[in-house]
Amino acid sequence: MYRAPVEDIAFTLKHVAGMKSALDAGTFGDLGEDLVDAVLGEAGRFATDEVAPLYKIGDEQGAVLKDAAVTTPPGWKELYRRWIDGGWNALSGPEAYGGQALPTMLGVAALEMWNSAAMAFGIGPTLTMGAVEALDKHASEELKAKYLEKLVSGEWMGTMNLTEPQAGSDLNALRARAEPAGDGTYRIFGQKIFITYGEHDFTDNIIHLVLARLPDAPAGTRGISLFLVPKFLVGDDGSLGARNDVFCSGLEHKLGIHASPTCTMIYGDGFGGAAPGAIGWLIGEENKGLACMFTMMNNARLAVGMQGVAVAEAATQKAIAYANERRQGKAASYAGAGMAPIVRHPDVQRNLLTMKALTQTARAISYCCAHAIDLARVSTGDEAAHWRDRANLLTPLAKAFSTDVGVEVASLGLQVHGGMGFIEETGAAALYRDARIAPIYEGTNGIQAIDLVMRKLPLGGGEHVYGYIVELAAVANAVRISNLQGFGRTADALDEALAELTHATRFLQKLSADGQSDEALAGATPYLRLISLAAGGAYLAQGALADPGRIALCRFFAENLLGEARALKDRIIGGAESLAAAGKALISA
């Protein structure tokens, strides 16, 4: 059974991601370590004692659709009620609408725990929090007054409606349409697919944020608007009125996260005899909906990264526990009677340490991204610009590297379990099934790599990334000059990885400047992993400098995993031509 690693989470927040120095400087007002520790401790208790016990029933029974209504697994509706009664949905919400306005860092730390305990549960509130941010930044005062308080509290949940059958990740191809009704409202028509928690029984209203095109909209993404479409219309006094013309026509039968309803949503089909056209309200300006939605999507990308961290943590805990219980074979390090616990075997230790190290690197990257978001919000002028650039740089790393790690670590967890990992009763397979969606949604990891290379490397005139590398190199130097024992070749390995990263960065920036975008994109995915491994190694070292008990894992990462950096650099610099040549054989038309 999962137990929230509150100590590890608190340590990474404070001593790696920068929360302690921010608290000491009064960056977050009167927020102090005592309150941070109390919040993390209670979140850990709730995740461990209340959410985790319902994971298995959620996976086995899943969500059920009947007569356009979705029923979640037994106990899940009541769990959600206890969760919002605890104030968890409001943790980082705006104070003006009942939120606690706590730092993003604290919010994502709690999010990790919900998703480790049951990813299918944690994913629903994630979208509500994103909807809150989008409405808070872009909606009219009237819409905020009517909807935000109940979304912040969690009394109502929100969704994000982008994808359509013909569009996938290409929003240029969206066909959903919005027709002005002449009274300030719009009528929405169309189909949206893969809508997480598009229909459920947790709340009595669901607030959909929907991308659609106006009749005279320009082609492509320049002609997309964003609309608020409630499941039930809301009166001026906040009471629920008539059912809107939107319904769930189907649930996807998925590899994992079975308890999370993934819906096909139909807008404007005359549901229940209503006049055709779902009633919606414009958010922001006409034809500027993508900018509004990206507020929600950026929030979601970091949250999805936390899902990768979360599943990796749960898989690591499960594998370590099994390896200490399962006995098989002989081991030189074991002097006891009978067969040795498999944790005694070096290959099993290698797998477990790889799982543990990758999980901690992904956690550190994601928490550092949240830290940058927080500092961008509370800073001004050039400092705010710096932290915005840092958050933008780290977001694709947090999303893509962390979700790749989630799949990799969950797969290693199955390997540690051996044949029993392939059997559902151990729960190791369920974690692997859950993890596999995260590299796909909220912008596939390939899209994240494209974003990193084409949009984020040019930040600050192309210099921001080098400033980041300098910061990482300072950690390597601190390891070298420290008097702490046990680091081995950590400093040298970090220096080598950062040198490879610098070389690859210059190469890709030159390709982009010369207009060789295909060649640059050929190296985008290996580049994202390269910068993530280098950053992760530095973050592990930073943690080890603060706590010598962490040196052994840091050294393991540096001497066993960080050597991948050179191979990744070689792929980035020398792989484009062979990729293009071999790729021609794949093209059928």
Side-chain angles (χ1 to χ4, degrees):
M1 180 73 75
Y2 166 77
R3 296 198 65 81
V6 174
E7 183 179 339
D8 270 353
I9 287 172
F11 178 87
T12 306
L13 282 174
K14 295 175 186 178
H15 300 288
V16 178
M19 176 174 267
K20 181 169 175 40
S21 59
L23 292 174
D24 291 345
T27 302
F28 305 122
D30 58 0
L31 178 65
E33 281 196 62
D34 287 348
L35 180 56
V36 168
D37 291 340
V39 170
L40 292 176
E42 181 56 23
R45 184 209 64 77
F46 193 95
T48 301
D49 296 343
E50 309 241 12
V51 183
L54 291 180
Y55 174 81
K56 187 173 183 181
I57 193 171
D59 180 62
E60 292 178 346
Q61 297 198 21
V64 177
L65 174 68
K66 182 178 181 181
D67 298 328
V70 169
T71 303
T72 53
W76 278 56
K77 180 179 179 180
E78 295 76 15
L79 169 67
Y80 179 77
R81 175 53 56 182
R82 295 194 300 274
W83 186 79
I84 64 169
D85 286 347
W88 295 113
N89 199 78
L91 199 66
S92 56
E95 282 186 287
Y97 299 96
Q100 300 171 47
L102 291 171
T104 302
M105 297 177 78
L106 204 50
V108 298
L111 197 62
E112 177 191 328
M113 293 186 256
W114 316 138
N115 281 279
S116 283
M119 181 174 159
F121 177 80
I123 191 176
T126 294
L127 293 166
T128 303
M129 296 168 192
V132 166
E133 187 172 359
L135 291 176
D136 190 38
K137 290 188 176 179
H138 301 289
S140 67
E141 293 303 318
E142 290 78 9
L143 287 179
K144 291 180 185 180
K146 183 173 284 189
Y147 292 98
L148 267 181
E149 185 174 343
K150 290 186 177 181
L151 283 169
V152 167
S153 71
E155 182 178 344
W156 296 343
M157 287 178 67
T159 72
M160 179 167 60
N161 287 238
L162 287 78
T163 307
E164 299 174 12
Q166 77 290 341
S169 297
D170 185 1
L171 299 182
N172 286 289
L174 293 183
R175 295 176 185 166
R177 70 184 196 277
E179 299 178 357
D183 60 357
T185 67
Y186 297 78
R187 298 298 178 267
I188 313 299
F189 301 87
Q191 180 185 39
K192 297 289 183 177
I193 62 171
F194 303 153
I195 308 306
T196 300
Y197 277 87
E199 172 63 25
H200 56 80
D201 57 0
F202 281 5
T203 61
D204 57 7
N205 205 6
I206 304 170
I207 311 304
H208 304 290
L209 270 58
V210 185
L211 289 179
R213 295 185 184 279
L214 292 165
D216 57 352
T221 56
R222 295 182 299 110
I224 297 174
S225 300
L226 181 64
F227 300 89
L228 183 154
V229 184
K231 176 180 175 180
F232 286 94
L233 301 178
V234 180
D236 292 336
D237 61 355
S239 62
L240 298 185
R243 175 72 185 259
N244 208 350
D245 187 13
V246 53
F247 71 99
C248 172
S249 66
L251 287 185
E252 302 298 342
H253 299 279
K254 302 171 298 190
L255 180 67
I257 54 171
H258 295 150
S260 167
T262 302
C263 305
T264 296
M265 303 299 297
I266 305 296
Y267 292 85
D269 203 42
F271 177 72
I279 301 173
W281 286 261
L282 181 69
I283 299 172
E285 300 179 34
E286 292 185 353
N287 304 322
K288 299 292 180 64
L290 202 56
C292 301
M293 184 61 85
F294 263 111
T295 297
M296 189 174 187
M297 288 178 69
N298 282 333
N299 175 296
R301 284 171 176 171
L302 175 56
V304 170
M306 294 316 306
Q307 292 174 349
V309 177
V311 175
E313 174 63 38
T316 299
Q317 288 190 23
K318 186 177 288 291
I320 290 174
Y322 183 81
N324 277 281
E325 295 168 0
R326 170 68 170 166
R327 293 174 177 269
Q328 187 170 331
K330 300 293 184 181
S333 66
Y334 182 64
M339 293 187 291
I342 64 171
V343 73
R344 294 278 186 161
H345 297 297
D347 190 62
V348 174
Q349 292 176 354
R350 178 183 55 80
N351 281 332
L352 293 172
L353 290 169
T354 299
M355 296 169 72
K356 194 172 182 67
L358 287 175
T359 300
Q360 291 196 15
T361 58
R363 176 182 289 133
I365 288 170
S366 299
Y367 287 6
C368 285
C369 181
H371 177 61
I373 292 170
D374 284 329
L375 292 190
R377 185 180 65 250
V378 301
S379 302
T380 58
D382 291 343
E383 185 178 0
H386 166 82
W387 287 112
R388 281 195 298 271
D389 285 350
R390 180 59 51 84
N392 286 332
L393 176 68
L394 292 182
T395 294
L397 277 61
K399 194 280 178 181
F401 179 71
S402 297
T403 55
D404 282 344
V405 161
V407 174
E408 185 176 349
V409 169
S411 180
L412 287 171
L414 262 72
Q415 192 70 22
V416 170
H417 280 77
M420 292 303 296
F422 205 66
I423 305 300
E424 289 290 347
E425 69 183 72
T426 66
L431 292 171
Y432 182 72
R433 289 189 282 100
D434 286 352
R436 194 57 192 86
I437 183 57
I440 297 172
Y441 59 22
E442 303 312 331
T444 66
N445 286 359
I447 290 174
Q448 302 304 314
I450 293 170
D451 177 59
L452 173 64
V453 168
M454 304 306 292
R455 298 188 182 91
K456 303 307 168 56
L457 290 190
L459 290 170
E463 290 301 313
H464 185 85
V465 65
Y466 295 112
Y468 181 58
I469 294 171
V470 168
E471 294 173 25
L472 301 177
V475 178
N477 187 57
V479 170
R480 177 170 283 105
I481 65 175
S482 75
N483 293 319
L484 296 172
Q485 300 298 309
F487 271 116
R489 288 194 64 258
T490 296
D492 289 342
L494 282 172
D495 282 341
E496 291 163 11
L498 292 169
E500 306 289 13
L501 174 59
T502 301
H503 188 177
T505 302
R506 288 177 178 149
F507 178 78
L508 290 176
Q509 286 183 333
K510 186 176 187 304
L511 286 180
S512 296
D514 292 344
Q516 297 176 274
S517 59
D518 279 357
E519 290 82 355
L521 293 177
T525 290
Y527 180 81
L528 191 148
R529 186 168 177 88
L530 170 56
I531 190 173
S532 299
L533 288 174
Y539 291 145
L540 284 180
Q542 187 173 328
L545 288 167
D547 175 9
R550 297 171 180 266
I551 289 177
L553 186 65
C554 170
R555 179 183 179 183
F556 169 82
F557 181 87
E559 296 183 0
N560 289 270
L561 303 180
L562 205 48
E564 186 182 346
R566 181 168 184 176
L568 289 166
K569 183 265 294 181
D570 289 345
R571 287 173 60 192
I572 294 162
I573 291 177
E577 185 176 342
S578 60
L579 174 64
K584 291 178 181 178
L586 302 175
I587 301 171
S588 60

